[in-house]
Amino acid sequence: MIQRAQYMERLKAYKDNKLIKVITGLRRCGKSTMLQLFKQDLLASGVASNHIVEINFELMAFDHIREYHDFYELVRPMIPKEGKCYLLLDEIQQVAHWEKAVNSLNIESDIDVDIYITGSNAHLLSSDISTLLTGRYVEIKMLPLSFKEFLSFNHLPAEFSVEDKFQQYLKYGSLPAVATLPQEDVTVNEFLRGIFNTVIVKDIVARTKSKNVELLEKVVRYVISNTGNMISYNKISGFINAQSRGESIKSSTIASYIDALEKAYIVYQASRFDIKGKEQLKTLSKFYVTDTGIRNMLSGYSDGDMGYVLETVVYFELLRRGYQVFIGKWYDSEVDFLAIRQNTRKYYQVTLSMADERVKEREIGPLAAIPDNYEKTILSMDKTYITDHEGILFRNIIDFLLSD
């Protein structure tokens, strides 16, 4: 099992307090493995095995536990009467109203528990649950492997250069299990199709009560084909209706489907931010598919897609580094990413190459127009580039991904 140091550090930072640790993220992104790694760390630190209660609610052994009373009656007798007990509860969203039982276990005075749970759908922390657990939980959002983590698997041939490995990362994606598969289209795509279908059926159709799987996939394909472009629910519904001979799809229906895809962590939304007005804008957004492998499995992959895939990789890398990520708007021009963390902000443009003078002018222009002193960077695949152009940095994308 690969160490995910970023997430382990966060779990250990919250260890032994009364906050419920909630790990969320796309299916197969490594949440269950993270709990296993944390369990190993607990045992290595001297915690007795009978003081660790571990349940995966997707296992058949616990298939009958689908309601919070049954969950409570199962877990409560497993908790030792003396000493701290660590509850590791995997895919807990399978249990209806799980939060009532977890909240009770967390506050009961005659037991001492430290609770860690995972879930593959953001409905896990709906408004009702958040209200019940207010001030008692912390969410840790897990993403698939960064490129640096991907390299640590060391599963590719030794003769592969870093650039070769990066091409594999772009094409087949960053889900941990994919890195252990034979790196061939048929095998990887079958695996990714299975994950995508599971997400659609278990995390979306079952919760939205919608049976229109075909429409859901059309929405995802539209998002993929418009990576890097501003889109709206009206645009999506208009496009799908133009392609359909059947019933007209309303923009409100598209909005609910996009919301479901976001809650299943298949897509992330990047809103626009007015740099001059210093406010987030509510109209038009960009959407990015969480894993480039799933993106390529659904839409195919060609050299013409490279720029969009690179933009997707940079977007999620910025999220991993703890930034809020927006699309920057400066009057009529656009900056690919405005990354904000506390009182710091950084601007990024992402392009395949700066060799063409017209591309260079296009990428430099929006950054040069912004009259502040925050760091401005253009990321590309170029290996030889200008290091400084009127305060604008030029960096290779691989170097950026491997930097601290």
Side-chain angles (χ1 to χ4, degrees), residues 316-328:
F316 285 107
E317 182 63 24
L318 291 172
L319 289 184
R320 285 188 190 91
R321 298 184 183 191
Y323 290 100
Q324 286 183 286
V325 186
F326 301 95
I327 310 305

Side-chain angles (χ1 to χ4, degrees), residues 56-166:
N56 184 338
F57 288 99
E58 290 202 318
L59 295 178
M60 283 300 297
F62 303 105
D63 192 58
H64 62 291
I65 307 296
R66 289 294 178 260
E67 194 268 342
Y68 73 101
H69 289 102
D70 295 333
F71 163 56
Y72 181 85
E73 290 173 7
L74 169 72
V75 174
R76 188 61 170 83
M78 301 170 72
I79 299 172
K81 294 181 180 179
E82 296 182 358
K84 185 177 292 292
C85 180
Y86 296 88
L87 301 185
L88 311 182
L89 309 172
D90 206 1
E91 298 295 351
I92 201 171
Q93 77 273 358
Q94 305 289 351
V95 179
H97 303 297
W98 60 269
E99 70 280 0
K100 295 181 179 180
V102 166
N103 186 56
S104 179
L105 292 169
N106 193 49
I107 63 177
E108 289 176 16
S109 60
D110 61 327
I111 55 175
D112 186 5
V113 295
D114 193 14
I115 304 175
Y116 301 78
I117 64 180
T118 77
S120 299
N121 198 292
H123 285 292
L124 185 77
L125 292 173
S126 66
S127 58
D128 290 341
I129 296 173
S130 296
T131 299
L132 179 63
L133 300 180
T134 296
R136 297 196 180 108
Y137 79 92
V138 59
E139 182 182 8
I140 299 172
K141 296 181 180 180
M142 178 171 269
L143 290 168
L145 300 175
S146 67
F147 182 53
K148 187 183 292 187
E149 290 174 320
F150 177 83
L151 290 179
S152 69
F153 268 83
N154 197 29
H155 64 291
L156 294 171
E159 63 269 20
F160 271 37
S161 66
V162 172
E163 288 76 16
D164 292 332
K165 293 177 180 179
F166 187 56

Side-chain angles (χ1 to χ4, degrees), residues 282-302:
K282 296 181 180 180
T283 58
L284 299 176
S285 299
K286 291 185 181 183
F287 293 87
Y288 296 95
V289 178
T290 309
D291 177 66
T292 59
I294 290 177
R295 176 204 183 279
N296 298 334
M297 177 273 296
L298 290 169
S299 68
Y301 182 63
S302 67

Side-chain angles (χ1 to χ4, degrees), residues 242-304:
Q243 303 295 314
S244 174
R245 299 177 183 177
E247 181 182 356
S248 177
I249 305 300
K250 298 179 180 179
S251 60
S252 58
T253 301
I254 297 298
S256 67
Y257 276 41
I258 288 285
D259 180 67
L261 290 166
E262 287 187 86
K263 284 184 165 57
Y265 304 104
I266 282 286
V267 302
Y268 278 62
Q269 180 176 182
S271 302
R272 291 190 302 158
F273 192 96
D274 185 348
I275 297 169
K276 184 177 185 297
K278 298 181 181 180
E279 63 177 347
Q280 184 175 338
L281 301 175
K282 296 181 180 180
T283 58
L284 299 176
S285 299
K286 291 185 181 183
F287 293 87
Y288 296 95
V289 178
T290 309
D291 177 66
T292 59
I294 290 177
R295 176 204 183 279
N296 298 334
M297 177 273 296
L298 290 169
S299 68
Y301 182 63
S302 67
D303 291 342

Side-chain angles (χ1 to χ4, degrees), residues 43-44 58 69 89 104 117 140 178 218 229 233 304 316 323 331 336 360 371 375:
L43 292 170
E58 290 202 318
H69 289 102
L89 309 172
S104 179
I117 64 180
I140 299 172
V178 168
K218 283 182 178 179
N229 296 323
Y233 304 137
F316 285 107
Y323 290 100
Y331 291 97
D336 286 337
K360 185 181 293 186
E375 184 176 285

